[in-house]
Each structure stands twice: as C-alpha cells, then as structure tokens.
Amino acid sequence: MLHLFKSKLQFLKLTFFASKVRKAILSKKEDKDILNEKILFCPFNSSILNLFRESVIAAACEKKGADVAFFQYDLSHGAIDFLYDQPKYKFKLYYWFGKLFYIKNKLSVYQLSKYNPYINKDQIKRTIDKTPVDKLGEFKYKNIKIGQYAIASSIRFFLSPFPLWDNKNFVKWVRDFIYTGCVIADGFQNIIDKEKPNKIVTSHAIYISWGVLYDVARMNGINVDVYNGSYRKNTLRFYHNERNAPFPIAEWPSFENRELNNKELNILNNYIESREDQKNDNIQLFSENSDYTTIDDFVKKAKNKNAKIACLYTNISWDAYAHANDCPFESMEEWLIETIEHLKNMPNLHVILKAHPAEVYHKVPDKFRVKNFIPDNLPDHILFVNENANIRPFYIYDIIDFGIIHLSTVCIEMALKNIPVLTSGGNSHYSNKNFTIDPKSKQEYFQHLMDLASGKSTFKPDIEIAKKYMFYRFFREAIPFEALEIQNGKYTIPKEFPEKLSGINLITEGIVNNEKFIFDWTN
C-alpha cells in the first residue's frame, strides 16, 4: 500500500509539471498553419511517462493548430499490457488518476467504455474458448492477427523465453489477451468511425494494446506514428507507419551512402567513450566496482595454450523473441544450447560466455535466466559470467579475437574495434551491412564458427559502415526530449521548465506534416 501511495504521489507531481510545460509551450505564439488535422494520441494504459511525453507533444501540435485528443482504455476485465492481474479497485484507481491527468491538462479524452466495445462479446468468448491451444497463435479477428499479439504480450508478462504451452496459466493469459484484443478492435473502430482522426500517435505497436490499434488504424487508411525510447537517455525515436520491433529500416537507405563529417565523427567518438560506463545511455547497467580477476586468469590460461579467445554475448530471452526475424534457430535458447555443444569439442578456442546484466534490471524470473540453459559442468575452456558479475563489455573487447552474438548492439562496438562478429542469423536491424557475419542456415553458422576458431576466416568488419550506422541509430534517429531526466526507467522532475526543447519542433513537424524523424546533432 505504501508503494501504491508513493507511485500515485509521483503521478500527481508529474501531472502538475506537465501542466506547466504545456502552458509554456502554448504561450509562445506561432502561426497556425495546420487545418482540419485531428490527432489521436494513445498512451493507452495511462503510463505516466507516456502520458507526460504525449501531452507535451500534443501541446506543440495544438500550437500549430491541430485538434488533439487522447484515447484511454478504462475497462477492468480481461488482460491488458503492463497492468497485470490487479484487483478491480486498482484498475479503477489507476484509470481515475489517468482521467485526472487529462482534466488537469485540459485534454479531450475518448474512453473505450463509451464506444460500445462489446459488439459480439458472447460469440467472441465462445470462439476463443473453442480454439485449440495449438491454433491460438493463428487466431484472427477482422483480419487482425490478434493471436500473435496475445502471445507476445503473454511472453512479456511471464518474461519467458518462448510460449509456455505446457503452462495452463500461460494459456489462460493468451486467451484473455485475445479477448481484450477483440474488444479493443471493435471499440477503436467505433472511435474512428465517430471521431474521424487523421493521425494516430502511439508507442510499441508490437503488443496486444498498441498492435491492435495500429492495425485498425492502418486498415482504415489512417497514418500511425509509432515511438519509443531510444538508446541514449532523454531521446525518443519515431517512425511513420512502422512498428518499433523488429527495428525498421526507416531512413537508413537515404543515409548510408553519405560520409560522416568531422562534427559527426567527433560527436560519435565522444559518445563511444561514454559507452564504457553508460552514463549517457537510457539504461545504465554497470557500477564502478568491477572485479576482472576471473577474466584475467582465464585469458592468461588461454594465452599459455596459444588459443584463440572469443566472447559469446546473450540477450534477455523474452526481448530476443520479439526482435528475431527468420533466424535459423527457433529461439535464443536453442542457439545457445547448440552453440555450447559445439564449443565443448573445440578446446583450442577459449570462450567467455556472458549473461546479459539486464536480466537483473528487468527482473527476469530466475528460472528463465540464461544460467539455467548452461550445462552444469562446462569444460575448462568455457567460462560462464553470470548476470550479476558487473563485467563491462569494453574490458572484454580488448582481449578477444572475435565475438559471437544472437541479437545485440555490442556487435557495432566490436566492429568499430575491428573485431569480427558472428551472429546467429537472427536478421537484426544491423544485419547484412558488412560489419557482421550473418549466416542463413545452421550449417553456415557452425562453419563460420569453425573458420573463426581455426583462423581460416578472412572476414574483416567494414569499420566505416559501422561508424555510419551507429551514428544513424544512436543520433540521427534519436530525437532529444529534455523535458524530463530519465534513466533506468526513473525520472527526475526539474525544478524549472527547460527553456529549450530542441527536439519538440522536429517531432511536431513529423506528426503534423509527415516530415522525416531525423535530427541534426551538429546544430
């Protein structure tokens, strides 16, 4: 109860701060050059951070003459993303605070409950209940692949590596999410028919909450701008009619053929130096108290045997499930288990096998952490580093001959240090750009692994492309949003409203005029 009180107190503080920021934005005069533009913002579950961000952006759109409104899911039945298994009174309290935010900030809100979302309630429930477990992933409603969203949302709820079809509770959540998706589809269609928005702004678009909204809007020919937090703190990334995962190509094709200028190279080099302690990143995972004794001893043993050294970097399993695309391996766990089996028979290759420290940050259940997929008795030439070890990747870069990854941005940093990187073939956003080795099959993957270990591989990462790509992802498509200081999911309310919001105009132009969501950090 104390935690609930503290969280709602923070909610109130940010509600009143949002009001100050909106007033400051709206008080600045500007010619209203947008006519008949009706924008519907969908923070959806009344997340205070999303509410704050979208209310500030909405103010900038209003200043340009746009008509803005907000969508609120205010029902307490079924399953809903990031509001899990709560008593009804908590749902009501949660949505009441959301409504208070809208009132305080003088925002128009469309509540789902008022748009008759239960058109075929009984029929839908019967259909869902009769659907066999092995067909739930294929469930469609009005041509929307709701089953896929329901599985993604259930995996996110359980923080599991893959669908847990032998778990009755998991199956129940999938069915509940499917029902929620159908209700959203009907209700949101009614909102579109009655309110007729020209543009939808929302986040994610990969889970049941936002994915269904995205699909309904696009089926009605309405453009959707999707956003999420970017890699660096206090930045957002936006895409026109693209989901946030897997990462879209977006504006990269128009950027890859140009060269970085000196200012851009200087910005990138300064940032790369900061990556070691992550002080400028959205999530900071490492403390200063690192002990590398075990690593040093392992490296010394490898060098005494004149063996090559590699590091295998794992991901957070549930996150990897959402971002993999046409991978030769069915899951990160399958990739890990099969790779370890091959490594056991390669004594001339010493491998540091590193669990992702974000397993702790995201509070992944112990049974789903990488350590449970690692054999108990690893051979001496494989060293497992657990999620609590506080071992920084940059320390490891200086001692390895090559890297092995599933889906991880550390590949860009290794490429910049001229370290070959073998991926699982998961077809990530950085794949097939000549700074990683991207196999198309398991056979090709294991052949590359053998070639790297034996020294037969001639692959050299294209450092210039890696630099360009890192600058694009970490800067060009990262738009500053300085109204709040946010890191590790925690926000600090400044004492005074920041005088300059350097990215807000670009975000607004992107939304109201469909301009590119690309920011120039040299100015």
Side-chain angles (χ1 to χ4, degrees):
M1 187 61 73
L2 181 61
H3 173 73
L4 181 64
F5 174 77
K6 287 182 178 179
S7 67
K8 295 312 173 192
L9 182 60
Q10 282 291 89
F11 196 111
L12 288 174
K13 288 181 179 179
L14 202 51
T15 296
F16 281 84
F17 181 64
S19 180
K20 290 182 180 179
V21 177
R22 282 179 51 78
K23 285 179 181 177
I25 291 173
L26 291 168
S27 65
K28 296 178 181 179
K29 292 183 178 181
E30 183 171 321
D31 291 336
K32 296 185 177 183
D33 54 358
I34 307 299
L35 299 176
N36 301 318
E37 188 74 1
K38 195 169 187 178
I39 304 169
L40 179 56
F41 290 84
C42 303
F44 201 79
N45 63 356
S46 297
S47 157
I48 185 57
L49 282 180
N50 283 7
L51 269 174
F52 177 84
R53 286 166 173 159
E54 293 180 36
S55 69
V56 171
I57 295 167
C61 292
E62 288 176 73
K63 188 176 67 170
K64 286 185 174 290
D67 180 9
V68 306
F70 280 68
F71 168 77
Q72 185 186 34
Y73 180 98
D74 62 334
L75 308 175
S76 58
H77 74 279
I80 191 66
D81 292 307
F82 304 99
L83 274 181
Y84 300 126
D85 211 12
Q86 300 287 337
K88 274 193 174 183
Y89 81 89
K90 282 193 176 181
F91 275 92
K92 289 181 179 179
L93 182 65
Y94 199 83
Y95 296 132
W96 184 86
F97 271 90
K99 184 66 175 176
L100 178 65
F101 183 96
Y102 294 126
I103 293 171
K104 174 61 181 173
N105 286 283
K106 299 178 180 178
L107 293 164
S108 174
V109 57
Y110 306 149
Q111 292 181 299
L112 184 62
S113 62
K114 296 178 180 178
Y115 288 84
N116 189 24
Y118 302 102
I119 296 174
N120 304 305
K121 177 181 176 181
D122 294 334
Q123 181 184 345
I124 290 170
K125 282 194 170 182
R126 284 195 300 270
T127 303
I128 295 170
D129 290 341
K130 289 179 180 179
T131 303
V133 172
D134 62 350
K135 298 295 182 182
L136 288 174
E138 302 171 15
F139 191 98
K140 287 186 180 181
Y141 182 68
K142 296 185 176 180
N143 292 320
I144 301 171
K145 297 178 180 179
I146 287 181
Q148 292 183 10
Y149 293 132
I151 291 173
S153 291
S154 299
I155 286 174
R156 180 64 181 81
F157 168 54
F158 282 82
L159 299 177
S160 62
F162 35 67
L164 306 173
W165 296 123
D166 56 348
N167 183 324
K168 291 182 179 179
N169 202 23
F170 182 90
V171 175
K172 178 185 180 301
W173 273 88
V174 172
R175 294 186 192 277
D176 286 349
F177 271 124
I178 289 175
Y179 176 69
T180 298
C182 295
V183 169
I184 293 169
D186 285 335
F188 199 63
Q189 183 63 59
N190 292 341
I191 289 174
I192 286 174
D193 291 341
K194 184 176 180 180
E195 307 298 342
K196 295 179 171 50
N198 305 108
K199 169 71 71 79
I200 307 296
V201 178
T202 188
S203 63
H204 290 79
I206 60 172
Y207 298 118
I208 200 77
S209 311
W210 303 273
V212 174
L213 300 183
Y214 179 94
D215 283 348
V216 172
R218 295 302 294 136
M219 286 176 180
N220 282 269
I222 300 172
N223 290 324
V224 184
D225 289 339
V226 179
Y227 78 94
N228 210 338
S230 192
Y231 289 111
R232 291 166 38 250
K233 69 178 182 180
N234 305 331
T235 61
L236 300 174
R237 61 177 188 266
F238 278 77
Y239 303 109
H240 292 302
N241 297 323
E242 299 256 27
R243 304 179 195 280
N244 235 277
F247 275 68
I249 295 173
E251 301 298 329
W252 167 249
S254 64
F255 186 72
E256 63 177 324
N257 293 321
R258 54 154 290 190
E259 298 300 321
L260 295 180
N261 60 43
N262 289 334
K263 284 185 178 181
E264 291 169 334
L265 284 170
N266 189 48
I267 289 170
L268 180 62
N269 291 333
N270 288 336
Y271 172 66
I272 290 170
E273 287 183 17
S274 78
R275 285 282 285 175
E276 186 163 0
D277 60 16
Q278 299 179 312
K279 62 184 179 182
N280 293 321
D281 288 344
N282 188 25
I283 299 176
Q284 188 174 30
L285 297 170
F286 303 102
S287 68
E288 295 181 0
N289 303 318
S290 297
D291 183 355
Y292 299 107
T293 305
T294 303
I295 299 288
D296 292 340
D297 291 343
F298 182 75
V299 170
K300 184 178 180 181
K301 182 172 64 175
K303 289 183 175 180
N304 287 339
K305 294 182 179 181
N306 200 29
K308 284 194 177 292
I309 305 169
C311 185
L312 185 153
Y313 293 89
T314 63
N315 293 83
I316 312 164
S317 54
W318 61 263
D319 197 39
Y321 182 89
H323 285 80
N325 188 15
D326 296 327
C327 184
F329 299 89
E330 289 189 6
S331 66
M332 186 190 77
E333 285 63 36
E334 181 181 280
W335 162 75
L336 181 60
I337 291 167
E338 292 190 25
T339 300
I340 291 173
E341 286 303 306
H342 274 72
L343 293 175
K344 283 181 179 179
N345 299 316
M346 301 170 68
N348 292 326
L349 174 64
H350 281 51
V351 179
I352 301 165
L353 201 162
K354 194 174 184 300
H356 202 301
E359 289 186 335
V360 179
Y361 171 76
H362 285 290
K363 299 178 182 178
V364 176
D366 191 78
K367 62 182 177 181
F368 295 140
R369 296 189 180 189
V370 161
K371 62 187 176 186
N372 293 298
F373 299 93
I374 306 297
D376 291 333
N377 299 312
L378 288 173
D380 291 342
H381 64 282
I382 302 177
L383 173 67
F384 177 59
V385 177
N386 70 36
E387 67 275 20
N388 295 298
N390 196 37
I391 301 297
R392 299 184 185 188
F394 272 76
Y395 188 83
I396 294 176
Y397 298 158
D398 293 332
I399 58 179
I400 60 176
D401 295 292
F402 65 92
I404 310 168
I405 66 166
H406 178 48
L407 304 166
S408 178
T409 52
V410 296
C411 71
I412 308 177
E413 294 167 355
M414 285 189 278
L416 294 178
K417 289 182 171 289
N418 202 30
I419 301 170
V421 179
L422 173 63
T423 77
S424 67
N427 200 21
S428 186
H429 59 92
Y430 48 72
S431 298
N432 305 309
K433 293 178 176 60
N434 297 323
F435 58 82
T436 55
I437 303 170
D438 305 296
K440 304 300 181 186
S441 67
K442 287 185 180 181
Q443 182 180 1
E444 190 181 338
Y445 168 80
F446 288 115
Q447 185 60 57
H448 280 299
L449 180 60
M450 294 288 288
D451 290 345
L452 287 164
S454 64
K456 292 181 181 179
S457 176
T458 58
F459 177 81
K460 297 290 182 184
D462 188 325
I463 296 176
E464 294 308 310
I465 287 289
K467 283 182 181 178
K468 197 182 300 184
Y469 190 73
M470 189 173 195
F471 187 82
Y472 169 74
R473 283 294 184 194
F474 285 70
F475 286 90
R476 292 282 288 183
E477 75 166 13
I479 306 171
F481 188 83
E482 312 100 326
L484 279 181
E485 180 78 13
I486 305 173
Q487 192 174 55
N488 288 6
K490 298 178 180 179
Y491 56 86
T492 303
I493 300 174
K495 293 181 180 178
E496 296 181 1
F497 169 65
E499 292 183 6
K500 184 180 180 182
L501 293 176
S502 55
I504 194 69
N505 188 60
L506 186 145
I507 292 171
T508 308
E509 287 295 325
I511 292 172
V512 300
N513 288 327
N514 292 315
E515 297 290 340
K516 294 180 179 180
F517 290 117
I518 293 293
F519 190 81
D520 183 3
W521 286 86
T522 62
N523 293 319

